[in-house]
Amino acid sequence: MTTPLVEMDGDEMTRILWKMIKDELILPFVELKTEYYDLGLPERDKTEDKITVASAEATKKYGVAVKCATITPNHQRMDEYKLHQMWKSPNGTIRSILDGTVFRTPIIIPSIKPAVKNWELPITIARHAYGDVYKSVEIRADEPGVARLVFDGESGKHQEVVIQNFKGAGVLQGMHNTDKSIRSFAHSCFKFAIDSRQDLWFSTKDTISKTYDAQFKSIFAEVYEEYKAQFEELGLSYFYTLIDDAVARVIRSKGGFIWACKNYDGDVMSDMVSTAFGSLAMMTSVLVSPDGKYEYEAAHGTVTRHYYKYLAGEETSTNPMATIFAWSGALRKRGELDGLSALVNYADQLEAACFDTLNEGIVTKDLVNLMEGITPKAVTSAEFIAAIRERLARKLA
Ligand code: NAP
Ligand code: MG
């Protein structure tokens, strides 16, 4: 390796898996070069969360990061870890510094059939992570009256429309988005489509929302012009359609594309798509910034329930697949950027060794009941990783 990978360590069971993956699957095969940031909750508390900001800044500098799952503190965690403050979600902090979009993709294998039988390839959901209902303000109107939407520009320009003449009680909501955020979202989507060689779909409800959603549609169309030549060269397409039409087409499709969604649509549709593909433990996630910085991680959390079993001395069968794929994704990207074909090959072989292991029926407990046409054998995390190592060593020999 020439450029270091930004390594963000994390919490609980995934922190245990992190070390196992490094010791068994990476360090024996790669002359690993990382800049290490410990985002485990004790270190975040000790550094007043400066470590999280530093890790995001390092990602801006080097371009590629790999992140372990981390605890987002709540009241119970405050007591458990004797925290000085209820620190914000590290993912939220990193996302806002990188101004990025999260792409979630399932890892699929032949013996786990998606609930939608014609899906053959993964569907990646890109969720816009700013604004709309998530940054809205609301009023409960408890008597008749007039609701207005008002904008006072700095220039003195005044715009005003009546929302509703309430004859009785009701509710109202004001939401917003910004051209800047929508444009960043569009850049991240087009970049990721080119990067992963997949078509890009985007959907809103611009026939009903003729100003708000229409602005999303036109910014995407405008930004597409910058990527059009590259899309055409690669034989990729950008496809805009209405959200309800998109839902129907997604269900009838074979998969194998990226579906960019507005914030709320992405929230809802990512849970539907990931559940239909099988297991949260098999879902990968990558944050892509509009200027092409990448942070790879698993979509699941720190698997707390398994961690307490581990602390009690029990062997756990936690699925490391998504965390391994975060590493392989990050190392492949580093290899591509630095022109290191051996590193790219290593990432490919690591993933192939994982697939071989699963396809031979050696699996963690969470997958046992999902598999068809094969008799799976449930093993512990350590045994599963050892089985991958054996196959990886053969491939790289
Ligand atoms: P979680 O860690 O994803 O686990 C929820 C349940 O899903 C687990 O109890 C387990 O089910 C199953 N599961 C998830 N990943 C698995 C894996 N790799 N192998 C096997 N089973 C797996 O979510 P959570 O319990 O809601 O959250 C735990 C902590 O993670 C919280 O502190 C939260 O803040 C944090 N979190 C972090 C991130 C992130 O860093 N990106 C994301 C989400 C949550 P069974 O118990 O039935 O086996
Ligand atoms: Mg949700």
Side-chain angles (χ1 to χ4, degrees):
M1 290 181 67
T2 47
T3 316
L5 186 64
V6 179
E7 176 184 354
M8 304 170 176
D9 207 343
D11 289 299
E12 298 195 312
M13 202 59 219
T14 38
R15 187 180 180 98
I16 307 299
L17 292 177
W18 194 258
K19 183 164 187 329
M20 288 165 65
I21 292 167
K22 276 180 75 177
D23 289 347
E24 297 296 319
L25 300 179
I26 300 172
L27 295 172
F29 305 99
V30 180
E31 281 173 39
L32 186 68
K33 198 168 167 181
T34 71
E35 198 166 287
Y36 180 84
Y37 292 86
D38 185 358
L39 302 195
L41 191 48
E43 191 64 21
R44 276 182 276 149
D45 193 50
K46 206 172 105 193
T47 63
E48 302 188 308
D49 210 25
K50 290 195 179 70
I51 189 86
T52 307
V53 174
S55 73
E57 294 297 343
T59 307
K60 268 186 158 173
K61 176 172 167 197
Y62 294 116
V64 188
V66 60
K67 181 180 171 292
C68 180
T70 46
I71 292 168
T72 298
N74 53 18
H75 286 289
Q76 184 242 320
R77 299 294 197 174
M78 293 279 291
D79 298 338
E80 186 184 352
Y81 284 83
K82 311 223 171 342
L83 301 179
H84 295 97
Q85 217 177 297
M86 206 189 293
W87 307 109
K88 282 193 265 181
S89 149
N91 286 52
T93 302
I94 296 165
R95 198 166 59 211
S96 70
I97 292 173
L98 293 176
D99 188 19
T101 297
V102 174
F103 296 81
R104 273 182 158 208
T105 309
I107 301 164
I108 61 178
I109 54 171
S111 55
I112 300 180
K113 309 259 181 264
V116 180
K117 63 180 185 299
N118 42 283
W119 286 356
E120 291 167 13
L121 295 166
I123 294 169
T124 297
I125 299 263
R127 173 183 169 189
H128 184 209
Y130 178 83
D132 301 352
V133 71
Y134 302 86
K135 279 233 184 297
S136 68
V137 290
E138 305 186 327
I139 291 178
R140 162 71 177 150
D142 53 11
E143 60 176 324
V146 187
R148 290 191 182 85
L149 188 61
V150 177
F151 174 74
D152 284 309
E154 276 185 3
S155 68
K157 177 182 174 186
H158 179 85
Q159 286 169 276
E160 188 173 316
V161 288
V162 170
I163 298 170
Q164 180 70 325
N165 247 311
F166 284 100
K167 304 281 178 261
V171 283
L172 54 137
Q173 180 180 64
M175 52 182 203
H176 80 282
N177 222 299
T178 67
D179 284 11
K180 179 172 181 285
S181 175
I182 301 166
R183 191 162 284 120
S184 292
F185 176 47
H187 279 289
S188 297
C189 289
F190 289 114
K191 282 208 164 73
F192 189 74
I194 288 168
D195 220 61
S196 62
R197 305 280 192 271
Q198 295 182 91
D199 292 342
L200 177 67
W201 296 18
F202 181 46
S203 52
T204 74
K205 193 72 182 177
D206 68 288
T207 45
I208 299 298
S209 174
K210 290 185 167 64
T211 302
Y212 197 110
D213 280 18
Q215 185 65 358
F216 279 78
K217 181 184 178 182
S218 68
I219 287 177
F220 264 70
E222 185 191 311
V223 172
Y224 176 54
E225 290 304 314
E226 291 179 41
Y227 296 93
K228 199 172 179 178
Q230 249 179 306
F231 262 60
E232 281 169 1
E233 198 181 298
L234 294 168
L236 301 176
S237 63
Y238 167 59
F239 173 58
Y240 174 84
T241 188
L242 290 169
I243 177 75
D244 38 358
D245 180 51
V247 168
R249 285 172 188 264
V250 164
I251 296 296
R252 285 195 307 262
S253 77
K254 285 192 173 133
F257 53 88
I258 300 157
W259 182 13
C261 292
K262 286 181 62 199
N263 211 346
Y264 176 83
D265 299 339
D267 188 355
V268 177
M269 289 303 154
S270 71
D271 278 6
M272 191 196 72
V273 169
S274 67
T275 307
F277 270 110
S279 164
L280 183 59
M282 297 281 275
M283 186 66 65
T284 62
S285 175
V286 54
L287 175 74
V288 181
S289 75
D291 57 347
K293 314 288 186 213
Y294 295 79
E295 183 245 303
Y296 293 82
E297 64 176 320
H300 60 76
T302 60
V303 211
T304 311
R305 197 181 67 85
H306 295 209
Y307 182 57
Y308 286 114
K309 284 188 158 184
Y310 168 86
L311 288 181
E314 272 181 62
E315 285 262 29
T316 72
S317 182
T318 316
N319 191 337
M321 280 292 288
T323 306
I324 296 171
F325 274 59
W327 276 98
S328 58
L331 289 169
R332 180 185 295 108
K333 174 55 74 184
R334 200 60 276 165
E336 285 168 2
L337 292 173
D338 296 345
L340 305 169
S341 58
L343 192 59
V344 174
N345 179 57
Y346 162 79
D348 292 345
Q349 298 306 323
L350 173 57
E351 291 179 3
C354 290
F355 284 124
D356 286 356
T357 308
L358 291 174
N359 292 335
E360 286 170 42
I362 303 169
V363 300
T364 45
K365 266 187 197 158
D366 56 301
L367 298 184
V368 168
N369 292 326
L370 299 172
M371 295 182 103
E372 291 170 32
I374 187 170
T375 312
K377 176 174 176 261
V379 296
T380 63
S381 302
E383 289 164 341
F384 182 66
I385 289 171
I388 297 168
R389 176 172 177 168
E390 219 180 281
R391 284 157 187 77
L392 177 61
R394 279 207 297 269
K395 285 176 187 294
L396 293 172

